[in-house]
Amino acid sequence: PKDLAVDEQGNVYVVDSYNHRVQVFDAQGRFLRKWGSQGTMPGQFQEPWGIAVDDKGQVYVADTWNHRIQKFGTQGEFLKQWGYFGDTAGALGDVQMMYGPRDVAIDGDGNVLVGDTGNKRILSFTSDGEFLRQWGGAGSLDGQLREPVGLAVDDAGHIYVADTWNLRVQIFDSQGMFVQQWPVLGWEGEGVSNKPYLDVDGLGDVYVTAPDYNRVVKFDGSGAVLTVWGQYGSDLSALNMPSGIVVDADGSVLVLDSSNHRVMRFSGIP
């Protein structure tokens, strides 16, 4: 499993990536439902990596190696899909072309943000898949991206991007204009497993995973490190390739402990 999301009732949605499906649990971790199987038909997946839930309970999945976004109803019924494989060579271009999208997020207007990882850009669509804007493109200057993975949106509409191979968090406004950046130690690896995710809480603190280092780092809004936790292992103090991360309404931090095949919930993080 690679990513997770929480709905307004506290239910937890997990992309069970190598099983090519979505699983849903309640806030206590009790199984509720699942959907999906391996394939290319509507409602099937090919190693999905990203997931988000809007305020209506509709579910959006970054169906990574089918190079598309799929939208589902509250019970997992297929509603819509958009996107197809295409390599823009790191340039801005055809907005339906996607190359291994790794994450999806919902902004305050209900629009769908896509981390088009292989094409080094962020795409924005309405909830029905109508294109709004794109930004990024390959490079290391402010606003450019190299292997963008995790996405998050704060209460002010700022968009946070795990700009992995540039070893930094970048922040953009709601229109995709560059605002701020800071470096992240632990994102040096360029292997397929080092795909970090991030989330932001109501105070503006930012939580990022560092999969290769088996840890989570909490930053304040200016990029200063506040807390680090995690070490390699499988006991309750350890992590193994943590990927997806989300802060729920109670301020608890849920981490998708990928190579331990589990979700972990942490509370009282200073």
Side-chain angles (χ1 to χ4, degrees), residues 11-93:
N11 298 315
V12 180
Y13 296 69
V14 176
V15 277
D16 188 7
S17 304
Y18 288 0
N19 281 326
H20 314 284
R21 64 184 179 182
V22 172
Q23 294 203 65
V24 186
F25 304 86
D26 70 12
Q28 287 72 46
R30 293 183 291 245
F31 174 78
L32 297 177
R33 58 187 171 275
K34 64 181 178 181
W35 70 86
S37 60
Q38 187 171 16
T40 60
M41 299 297 291
Q44 294 185 312
F45 302 110
Q46 188 63 42
E47 197 180 319
W49 276 63
I51 192 166
V53 185
D54 68 15
D55 59 6
K56 299 175 183 177
Q58 298 174 126
V59 182
Y60 302 80
V61 177
D63 186 8
T64 301
W65 297 118
N66 280 324
H67 311 283
R68 65 187 179 186
I69 303 303
Q70 293 200 66
K71 177 181 177 180
F72 299 90
T74 58
Q75 299 302 305
E77 65 275 19
F78 173 82
L79 297 178
K80 198 175 189 70
Q81 68 178 35
W82 64 92
Y84 54 82
F85 174 70
D87 185 351
T88 68
L92 301 180

Side-chain angles (χ1 to χ4, degrees), residues 80-267:
K80 198 175 189 70
Q81 68 178 35
W82 64 92
Y84 54 82
F85 174 70
D87 185 351
T88 68
L92 301 180
D94 186 331
V95 298
Q96 289 295 320
M97 290 170 57
M98 298 182 190
Y99 188 178
R102 283 318 207 292
D103 202 12
V104 61
I106 311 299
D107 70 14
D109 295 322
N111 298 319
V112 182
L113 301 166
V114 178
D116 187 10
T117 306
N119 286 327
K120 322 299 184 194
R121 62 182 177 175
I122 308 301
L123 300 166
S124 177
F125 302 89
T126 69
S127 61
D128 288 324
E130 296 177 5
F131 172 72
L132 295 173
R133 63 187 62 87
Q134 62 177 313
W135 67 91
S140 300
L141 300 176
D142 291 351
Q144 294 180 324
L145 300 165
R146 294 181 64 239
E147 203 71 4
V149 181
L151 299 174
V153 184
D154 69 13
D155 293 339
H158 294 112
I159 299 160
Y160 297 69
V161 180
D163 186 12
T164 309
W165 291 354
N166 280 324
L167 311 179
R168 64 187 179 183
V169 171
Q170 287 204 73
I171 305 174
F172 301 88
D173 69 14
S174 60
Q175 302 302 302
M177 299 300 294
F178 172 81
V179 174
Q180 184 184 356
Q181 65 167 304
W182 65 76
V184 178
L185 298 177
W187 287 358
E188 296 86 357
E190 295 190 1
V192 69
S193 61
N194 191 44
K195 298 291 182 276
Y197 288 75
L198 77 177
D199 200 14
V200 56
D201 67 17
L203 300 176
D205 295 329
V206 180
Y207 301 74
V208 311
T209 56
D212 282 353
Y213 283 68
N214 307 297
R215 68 188 183 194
V216 175
V217 184
K218 178 183 178 182
F219 298 90
D220 68 14
S222 64
V225 174
L226 298 177
T227 307
V228 180
W229 77 91
Q231 59 186 354
Y232 174 73
S234 58
D235 62 29
L236 295 183
S237 68
L239 299 166
N240 188 356
M241 288 289 175
S243 53
I245 188 167
V246 65
V247 184
D248 71 11
D250 297 328
S252 295
V253 181
L254 285 78
V255 177
L256 208 297
D257 188 15
S258 180
S259 289
N260 280 326
H261 314 283
R262 65 186 180 184
V263 176
M264 300 192 76
R265 184 192 297 272
F266 301 91
S267 61

